[in-house]
């Protein structure tokens, strides 16, 4: 866990950076974020968020693509399958309907699918394994490849290893990374940094879907 760091796009960051409750954040912020993270020695930065539609300003998308290319091979982007109602042999994913990074971002960085399969007989949808679909590379493998740790056979089924309960991995709010001297010296040096959305209540009172049960939540 101490080789990984999480940057949360949390509600406090959304408010401080005046970003929308629904819809994508200003990608100019992602450019600033990348510059800060790599200035502090990040080994790899993984965007576990979808960048699947063009931004309102084409020039900003081009600036983000340029920032990604400046750290070629060290930035990984997320994609997603559409889930099927019936799991079937692909574990509940429909490869024919994918949400991929938009150009020019897709050509600037490796990308992988962030879907995580669950046992169709598990009503609590506990995550226990990596996505394993032969023709589609998952985000975890791409992140490992970028960090130099990828195992040759990416199609081999693999269990998820849990090293502790929720919030074991060190984290920081997105907005703090953009503040001068917010990151302690060496806090992310040589680490793989995942940028993802933290659950927060939206205008309808529901929370982000990107939160799941793990073996550590069985009794709690």
């Amino acid at each position: 866990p101490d080789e990984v760091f999480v940057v949360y796009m949390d509600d406090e960051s959304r408010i401080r950076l005046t970003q929308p409750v629904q819809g994508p954040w200003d990608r100019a912020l992602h450019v600033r974020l990348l510059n800060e993270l790599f200035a502090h020695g990040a080994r790899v930065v993984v965007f576990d968020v979808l960048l699947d539609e063009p931004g309102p300003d084409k020039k900003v998308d081009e600036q983000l693509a340029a920032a990604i290319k400046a750290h070629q091979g060290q930035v990984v982007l997320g994609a997603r399958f559409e889930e099927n109602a019936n799991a079937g042999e692909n574990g509940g994913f429909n490869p024919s309907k994918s949400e991929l990074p938009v150009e020019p971002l897709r050509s600037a960085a490796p990308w992988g699918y962030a879907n995580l399969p669950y046992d169709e007989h598990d009503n609590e949808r506990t995550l226990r394994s990596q996505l394993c679909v032969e023709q589609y590379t998952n985000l975890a493998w791409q992140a490992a490849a970028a960090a130099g740790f990828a195992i040759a056979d990416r199609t081999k089924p693999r269990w998820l290893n849990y090293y502790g309960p929720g919030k074991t991995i060190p984290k920081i709010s997105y907005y703090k990374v953009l503040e001068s001297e917010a990151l302690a010296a060496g806090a992310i040096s040589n680490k793989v940094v995942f940028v993802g959305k933290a659950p927060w209540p939206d205008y309808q009172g529901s929370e982000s879907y990107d939160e799941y049960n793990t073996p550590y939540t069985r009794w709690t």
Side-chain angles (χ1 to χ4, degrees):
D2 59 1
E3 295 176 352
V4 181
F5 203 88
V6 173
V7 174
Y8 262 142
M9 299 169 68
D10 54 13
D11 201 30
E12 185 174 4
S13 296
R14 180 191 65 79
I15 294 169
R16 286 177 177 264
L17 300 172
T18 61
Q19 298 304 296
V21 174
Q22 300 290 328
W25 286 20
D26 182 355
R27 289 175 186 165
L29 293 172
H30 295 335
V31 176
R32 292 174 55 195
L33 185 83
L34 282 177
N35 290 336
E36 288 293 333
L37 292 175
F38 284 117
H40 283 82
R43 183 169 187 161
V44 173
V45 177
V46 183
F47 279 93
D48 188 19
V49 291
L50 289 176
L51 302 172
D52 59 323
E53 296 181 355
D57 187 338
K58 182 180 178 181
K59 290 184 178 179
V60 174
D61 282 359
E62 292 172 350
Q63 289 169 2
L64 179 55
I68 292 171
K69 286 182 179 179
H71 304 283
Q72 190 170 12
Q74 293 177 277
V75 180
V76 181
L77 304 180
R80 187 172 64 185
F81 290 159
E82 179 179 298
E83 294 193 33
N84 291 327
N86 298 316
E89 62 181 16
N90 282 335
F93 305 113
N94 183 353
S96 65
K97 294 185 178 180
S98 298
E99 296 166 292
L100 307 180
V102 69
E103 292 291 2
L105 305 180
R106 185 163 73 246
S107 298
W111 54 270
Y113 289 97
N115 301 71
L116 290 166
Y118 58 91
D119 187 336
E120 62 180 309
H121 303 295
D122 181 355
N123 293 330
E124 296 182 346
R125 298 180 63 170
T126 304
L127 299 181
R128 301 184 185 279
S129 61
Q130 297 281 6
L131 175 69
C132 183
V133 179
E134 183 175 354
Q135 65 272 41
Y136 295 95
T137 305
N138 68 44
L139 183 62
W141 192 92
Q142 291 285 35
F149 297 125
I151 299 172
D153 185 5
R154 68 171 180 79
T155 64
K156 180 181 178 180
R158 291 187 174 85
W159 295 104
L160 289 169
N161 290 326
Y162 290 94
Y163 295 94
K167 302 180 182 178
T168 294
I169 297 173
K171 64 184 183 304
I172 191 172
S173 292
Y174 187 113
Y175 81 91
K176 289 184 178 180
V177 180
L178 304 183
E179 295 180 346
S180 60
E181 301 181 0
L183 278 171
I188 63 170
S189 179
N190 205 36
K191 295 185 179 182
V192 178
V193 180
F194 284 82
V195 181
K197 185 178 177 182
W200 72 61
D202 63 18
Y203 68 97
Q204 294 177 326
S206 60
E207 291 195 342
S208 163
Y209 67 89
D210 202 14
E211 189 172 62
Y212 302 89
N213 286 319
T214 76
Y216 276 88
T217 55
R218 179 174 175 82
W219 302 114
T220 60

